[in-house]
Amino acid sequence: MKQQYTVITVVVPDLLDMLRPKADKTKTLAEERMQAIRTADLVILDDLGAEKDSEWAAERIYLILNNRYNEQKPVVVTSNPLPDELEKISQQWERIVSRLHEMCYIITMDGPDYRKGGMPNG
């Protein structure tokens, strides 16, 4: 905080909703939001794969990750589906997952779902 890094943390379906222009007057707002994600020092994308699959959604996700890849900016991604499950969605997702493999350390965490009453072991 003292160094004043910009961090954006967002749930992917919410992000895509914010990036979708809903009328001419919000197109500029959507573009500003996309620019903020491109330039933030750190972006945390929560729940990748929970969004409704569409060509537009995959393209937005690809644009974000590819930009951060090219600019060598960090990104943290959480996802319930494993990368190989995401990769099977479409050819666009193959490119997304490829970027993730090169940009990120893939850490698989499994265990009970705490929201369903699961308790940690030990």
Side-chain angles (χ1 to χ4, degrees), residues 5-8 37-45 64-65 67-77 100 103-104:
Y5 288 111
T6 54
V7 178
I8 295 176
I37 291 165
R38 287 181 171 147
T39 58
D41 294 308
L42 172 64
V43 171
I44 302 170
L45 301 175
I64 291 166
L65 291 175
N67 175 266
R68 297 197 69 76
Y69 172 82
N70 288 335
E71 296 297 320
Q72 298 182 343
K73 290 185 173 265
V75 62
V76 174
V77 179
L100 290 174
M103 296 169 66
C104 303

Side-chain angles (χ1 to χ4, degrees), residues 57-107:
E59 179 184 32
R60 295 293 104 184
I61 293 166
Y62 175 80
L63 288 172
I64 291 166
L65 291 175
N66 190 59
N67 175 266
R68 297 197 69 76
Y69 172 82
N70 288 335
E71 296 297 320
Q72 298 182 343
K73 290 185 173 265
V75 62
V76 174
V77 179
T78 69
S79 175
N80 282 349
L82 295 170
D84 61 336
E85 294 168 340
L86 290 172
E87 198 171 41
K88 293 176 186 175
I89 297 172
S90 70
Q91 187 175 18
Q92 183 80 314
W93 276 94
E94 287 179 28
R95 294 200 306 266
I96 291 168
V97 172
S98 175
R99 296 293 183 286
L100 290 174
H101 276 290
E102 188 160 341
M103 296 169 66
C104 303
Y105 294 102
I106 308 287
I107 300 171

